[in-house]
Each structure stands twice: as structure tokens, then as C-alpha cells.
Amino acid sequence: MEIKESKCSSGYGKPPWIFKGSALYQFHLVKAEIARAIIPKEFRLVEAFGYTLGGFFLANYSESPFGPFDELVAIAGIVWNPPTSHAWAARVYVNSDNACTHGRKEFGLPSQVATFSKTIKAISKRPERKGNDRNVNIHVAEIDGPVTTDLYDIQLESAILKTNPLRWMALGPTIKMSLPSFSGHTEHMPQLLKYSCQIECRVKPTSPARVIGSTDRIESQNVELNESSKKREMGILVMLSKPILALEFNCLKMEVQPPVVVSKGSHHSLEHGLSSCPSQ
């Protein structure tokens, strides 16, 4: 797929845009039929045995062009664009109006404003583990005008390390990586875009988070969903798919350049793909 033109930035400061904080990147096996209902038809899905690699990226940014905010990106799967593969976001949730507008208008992301409510519960100390343990629950609810829709409870188990001079060693090695993605085909950005996030962070494997949500609205054949609701429900199917690996990103610095336009595209193909929502 040939890149045709660059997309110029407007507002939100000059690129590259810098984000700093921490994140959890969790990989899921997503059913290919679910991913195909979200990903534009011109892409070839990277799949094996009926599954593709999706998951979610849950970040807490302490610094950004919009100030501190939280972000949840549900990743539908991986598409092939020679010579590399790229991720496709099914849904993006942020608790910042400016970040939502930036994602929609600059990057063509399916961004939506949401609330992130965090509760922390201490659990009994286990003899085989050092330090104190805690359970962190993050409740995510979508805000659409006057309507608030509860989506997920994301439950993380996190060890609170004892303060010591070698604490930095427990954060994992420092790595640099690039996360290439496609976006667009939305009402705010009908063109197909391509962009990449350059990440530098300390990374280590961690226990997968448990995601609790409901697919009752999808599985009920008596409920007619509008376009926005379809996208929300497809994102739920992605989030509830099977986790296989979770990585904790600490001391995160993410640099994002403006996207480039790959093709003019059409929003019609995406709407067609969402017209029949598969169930798990």
C-alpha cells in the first residue's frame, strides 16, 4: 500500500508530541471473525488457526501535550502491509476532552471520552513474596453526551516494592521500540492514515490483568444497535478475548510524529464491516 501524502498538524503544539508515564501492554488472542468485522476490508489480517494478535494498551500519562490523563486502547488485531505489520485500534478511551479531539482529528482514531475510576485494596502478605501486595481495580465508563455506559473493570495485581537502592533493577531493562499502526476510516477522518509511536521505557513481564465486562447486549438478537454502539460492543469483544502475555512499561517516554495519509479511503467499508457483529 503506497503512501500518498503527509498530513499536516494543527494545534496542540508542534510535533513530535511527547507522552511520559507508565503503561500495561496486554496481548490477546482475538478471533479472526471479530477482527475482520472491525478492520477495513482492504487489509489482510495476520492470523493463524482462526485467531489474530490483539489486546489492549492501558496507560497513565503524567506528562503530555494535554496534561495528565489516562488512556485505554483496545487493539483488534494485526494487519499486513509489506514489508511490516501494523496494529488496528478498535476503540480508544481517554479521560481528556483535548486528547479525544486530538486523537479523532489528527490521527483518525475511534476516540471516546471516558471515566477511569481506580480503587486499591490491600491483600494479605504471601510468605513466598517480598513486600506488600495490593489489588488495583480500574473501572472504565464511556461518556456520550448525557449518557454514561459502564464498560469494564480491569483488575491488576501489583507488588509494592520495598524502598532500597536497587529498586530500579526490578523495573526491568531499558528498551527502545516502535509501534506502527493504521487508523482512519472514521466520520472525523475518512482517509486511511499510518503512524508510529517511538517508545523508550523499562519493560518487564507481569501477570495478565483480568477484564470483566458484559456481552449480553451483543448476544441479544432483540436489541438494535446504532453505529456508535456497534463499535463499543466490538471493542468489548476484543477486551474480553483470551490474554496470553502482559508487559509492564515503566519510565515510559513515547514520541509521536504526525500521521501520513496512505489512501483517501472510504468510511463505507468500515460501516459495512460493522453491520453484522459476531458473538463469541
Side-chain angles (χ1 to χ4, degrees), residues 58-72:
L58 175 65
N60 173 253
Y61 301 115
S62 56
E63 297 180 36
S64 82
F66 327 105
F69 74 97
D70 297 296
E71 178 181 51
L72 172 64

Side-chain angles (χ1 to χ4, degrees), residues 25 30 34-35 37-40 54-59 61 70-77 87-95 99-100 103-104 107-114 116 140-145 147-152 154 181-188 195 217 225-240 267 270 274:
Y25 196 172
V30 179
I34 294 174
I38 301 171
I39 293 170
F56 66 87
F57 184 80
L58 175 65
Y61 301 115
D70 297 296
E71 178 181 51
L72 172 64
V73 182
I75 303 170
W88 185 273
R91 200 72 163 166
V92 177
Y93 293 102
V94 292
N95 55 357
C100 180
R104 287 176 175 179
F107 287 88
L109 290 169
S111 297
Q112 187 68 34
V113 176
F116 290 71
V140 182
E142 178 179 321
I143 301 175
D144 188 5
V147 179
T148 299
T149 304
D150 293 328
L151 297 177
Y152 317 108
I154 304 175
S181 301
F182 280 120
S183 60
H185 278 218
T186 67
E187 60 177 315
H188 302 283
Y195 68 97
R217 289 163 295 187
L225 300 176
N226 59 32
E227 191 65 26
S228 177
S229 296
K230 289 177 185 177
K231 294 177 183 179
R232 179 199 309 131
E233 303 305 331
M234 296 306 293
I236 290 176
L237 290 177
V238 170
M239 292 289 294
L240 296 182
H267 186 49
L270 182 58
L274 287 168

Side-chain angles (χ1 to χ4, degrees), residues 52 90 230 248 257:
T52 186
K230 289 177 185 177
E248 184 179 312
Q257 295 284 356

Side-chain angles (χ1 to χ4, degrees), residues 67 98 174 191 205 225 267:
N98 288 334
T174 299
Q191 299 96 331
L225 300 176
H267 186 49

Side-chain angles (χ1 to χ4, degrees), residues 2-269:
E2 183 181 356
I3 297 175
K4 295 187 176 181
E5 60 181 283
S6 295
K7 183 179 183 299
C8 297
S9 165
S10 60
Y12 312 109
K14 295 182 179 180
W17 296 289
I18 305 296
F19 301 78
K20 296 181 180 181
S22 60
L24 174 71
Y25 196 172
Q26 186 156 306
F27 299 88
H28 288 192
L29 289 178
V30 179
K31 289 183 178 180
E33 61 185 288
I34 294 174
R36 288 198 195 95
I38 301 171
I39 293 170
K41 300 302 181 183
E42 58 262 47
F43 286 130
R44 181 161 66 89
L45 185 68
V46 177
E47 61 175 297
F49 306 105
Y51 290 88
T52 186
L53 187 63
F56 66 87
F57 184 80
L58 175 65
N60 173 253
Y61 301 115
S62 56
E63 297 180 36
S64 82
F66 327 105
F69 74 97
D70 297 296
E71 178 181 51
L72 172 64
V73 182
I75 303 170
I78 304 296
V79 298
W80 178 245
N81 179 47
T84 61
S85 56
H86 294 65
W88 185 273
R91 200 72 163 166
V92 177
Y93 293 102
V94 292
N95 55 357
S96 163
D97 290 335
N98 288 334
C100 180
T101 300
H102 183 256
R104 287 176 175 179
K105 296 186 176 181
E106 291 288 343
F107 287 88
L109 290 169
S111 297
Q112 187 68 34
V113 176
T115 60
F116 290 71
S117 304
K118 181 185 294 185
T119 56
I120 300 175
K121 180 181 179 181
I123 59 178
S124 60
K125 184 176 178 180
R126 302 177 187 177
E128 70 275 12
R129 300 179 66 173
K130 296 181 180 180
N132 299 316
D133 289 341
R134 62 179 180 174
N135 283 337
V136 180
N137 184 81
I138 300 175
H139 181 76
V140 182
E142 178 179 321
I143 301 175
D144 188 5
V147 179
T148 299
T149 304
D150 293 328
L151 297 177
Y152 317 108
D153 281 293
I154 304 175
Q155 299 179 353
L156 309 96
E157 184 177 315
S158 177
I160 304 176
L161 302 172
K162 292 183 178 179
T163 302
N164 63 73
L166 299 180
R167 179 176 177 178
W168 63 270
M169 295 179 63
L171 298 178
T174 299
I175 67 167
K176 293 182 179 181
M177 61 186 297
S178 176
L179 297 179
S181 301
F182 280 120
S183 60
H185 278 218
T186 67
E187 60 177 315
H188 302 283
M189 182 60 64
Q191 299 96 331
L192 182 64
L193 307 179
K194 177 181 178 180
Y195 68 97
S196 181
C197 301
Q198 305 299 322
I199 289 179
E200 180 176 352
C201 65
R202 289 187 176 276
V203 62
K204 69 173 184 177
T206 188
S207 300
R210 182 186 179 195
V211 181
I212 301 174
S214 175
T215 59
D216 291 345
R217 289 163 295 187
I218 303 174
E219 294 169 351
S220 175
Q221 297 181 358
N222 297 323
V223 177
E224 290 292 332
L225 300 176
N226 59 32
E227 191 65 26
S228 177
S229 296
K230 289 177 185 177
K231 294 177 183 179
R232 179 199 309 131
E233 303 305 331
M234 296 306 293
I236 290 176
L237 290 177
V238 170
M239 292 289 294
L240 296 182
S241 54
K242 183 178 178 59
I244 57 173
L245 175 67
L247 298 176
E248 184 179 312
F249 291 176
N250 292 294
C251 307
L252 170 69
K253 179 182 178 181
M254 183 169 67
E255 181 177 303
V256 186
Q257 295 284 356
V260 294
V261 176
V262 177
S263 69
K264 295 300 181 183
S266 170
H267 186 49
H268 173 73
S269 62

